[in-house]
C-alpha cells in the first residue's frame, strides 16, 4: 500500500492510515456525524492510547469493552459518540478476527471481482452500501487495490475526476471540492423538501 493519504490532515495519523489497512477501515467506520479529519485521526489516537504503532484487530476484539469505551472517551474523545463507536470498532474487529484472521487485506488478497469485494465490504459491521462503495473507491483510487470492475462496483464514487467522498481527497484543494459537493447535495435535498 503506497499512497499519499491526507484524510486526517495530520502527518502521523495519515502515515498510519497508509501503512495499516485496519486503521484505514476503522477511520472509514468512524467517518459519520463528525468532520472527516476527526474520524480519520481516530485510529492514530486509538493506537497511541493502546501504546502501539499499528492496530491489531484481534487485540481490539479481545479488549475489555468498558475499558475500550473509556479509552475512546478520554479527552479529546475519538468521536462525538465514543461509547457507541467503541462498540462498533470492537464489533468490526471481532468480525475481522473471526472471518479473516484479523487481516483486512484478506478481503481483497484473493483478487475478487469488484462486485465480490463490494459484497464483502458491505458485510462488514457498520458498513452499509454507501460506505462500502466509498471504501472500495478509496482502495482503488488511493491504495492501488483495483480488482476487475471496481469502478463500476463503487458506483459514482469510482468515477475518475469526481469530488464526492474521501476517496477523492489528495490535499486541501480537493478537500474543499468534496465539501462543496456535499454542501450542494444538502442544499438540493433541503430544496426538494420545500425548504429555502
Amino acid at each position: 500500500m503506497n499512497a499519499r493519504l491526507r484524510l486526517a490532515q495530520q502527518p502521523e495519523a495519515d502515515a498510519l492510515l497508509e501503512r495499516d489497512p485496519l486503521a484505514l477501515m476503522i477511520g472509514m467506520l468512524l467517518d459519520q456525524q463528525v468532520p472527516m479529519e476527526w474520524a480519520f485521526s481516530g485510529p492514530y489516537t486509538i493506537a497511541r492510547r493502546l501504546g502501539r504503532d499499528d492496530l491489531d484487530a484481534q487485540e481490539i476484539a479481545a479488549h475489555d469493552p468498558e475499558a475500550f469505551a473509556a479509552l475512546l472517551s478520554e479527552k479529546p474523545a475519538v468521536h462525538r459518540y465514543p461509547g457507541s463507536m467503541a462498540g462498533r470498532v470492537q464489533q468490526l474487529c471481532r468480525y475481522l478476527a473471526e472471518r479473516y484472521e484479523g487481516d483486512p487485506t484478506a478481503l481483497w488478497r484473493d483478487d475478487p471481482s469488484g462486485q465480490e469485494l463490494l459484497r464483502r465490504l458491505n458485510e462488514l459491521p457498520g458498513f452499509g452500501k454507501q460506505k462500502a462503495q466509498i471504501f472500495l473507491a478509496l482502495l482503488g483510487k488511493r491504495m492501488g487495490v483495483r480488482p476487475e470492475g471496481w469502478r463500476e462496483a463503487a458506483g459514482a464514487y469510482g468515477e475518475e475526476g469526481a469530488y464526492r467522498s474521501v476517496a477523492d481527497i489528495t490535499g486541501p484543494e480537493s478537500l474543499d471540492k468534496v465539501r462543496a459537493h456535499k454542501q450542494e447535495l444538502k442544499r438540493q435535498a433541503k430544496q426538494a423538501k420545500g425548504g429555502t
Side-chain angles (χ1 to χ4, degrees), residues 12-89:
E12 302 88 357
D14 283 326
L16 175 64
L17 297 173
E18 284 184 26
R19 73 172 180 267
D20 184 349
L22 178 60
L24 188 60
M25 196 173 274
I26 289 173
M28 189 75 222
L29 178 70
L30 294 172
D31 189 22
Q32 55 188 8
Q33 299 178 312
V34 295
M36 176 205 71
E37 299 92 332
W38 186 0
F40 282 96
S41 64
Y44 179 72
T45 303
I46 294 169
R48 280 196 7 249
R49 290 178 185 173
L50 287 172
R52 303 282 185 263
D53 290 329
D54 296 303
L55 297 174
D56 182 291
Q58 292 173 327
E59 177 186 7
I60 292 172
H63 211 284
D64 174 73
E66 287 184 22
F68 192 68
L71 186 105
L72 269 67
S73 298
E74 285 177 29
K75 302 286 184 216
V78 168
H79 194 274
R80 179 178 289 146
Y81 305 106
S84 65
M85 292 312 289
R88 288 183 182 194
V89 169

Side-chain angles (χ1 to χ4, degrees), residues 57-58 61 90-103:
Q58 292 173 327
Q90 283 195 291
Q91 187 181 11
L92 173 64
C93 289
R94 275 193 294 276
Y95 182 88
L96 291 170
E98 291 165 7
R99 296 271 184 104
Y100 297 101
E101 298 178 352
D103 181 5

Side-chain angles (χ1 to χ4, degrees), residues 94-150:
R94 275 193 294 276
Y95 182 88
L96 291 170
E98 291 165 7
R99 296 271 184 104
Y100 297 101
E101 298 178 352
D103 181 5
T105 67
L107 275 85
W108 57 84
R109 195 173 43 233
D110 63 345
D111 198 28
S113 69
Q115 280 297 330
E116 174 60 18
L117 180 51
L118 178 64
R119 185 192 67 74
R120 292 174 186 180
L121 292 170
N122 201 41
E123 288 179 345
L124 294 172
F127 278 63
K129 182 182 179 191
Q130 184 180 35
K131 193 172 286 278
Q133 284 185 310
I134 293 170
F135 194 71
L136 177 56
L138 179 60
L139 290 173
K141 291 180 175 183
R142 303 284 158 246
M143 307 309 291
V145 177
R146 298 179 177 127
E148 187 176 337
W150 72 271

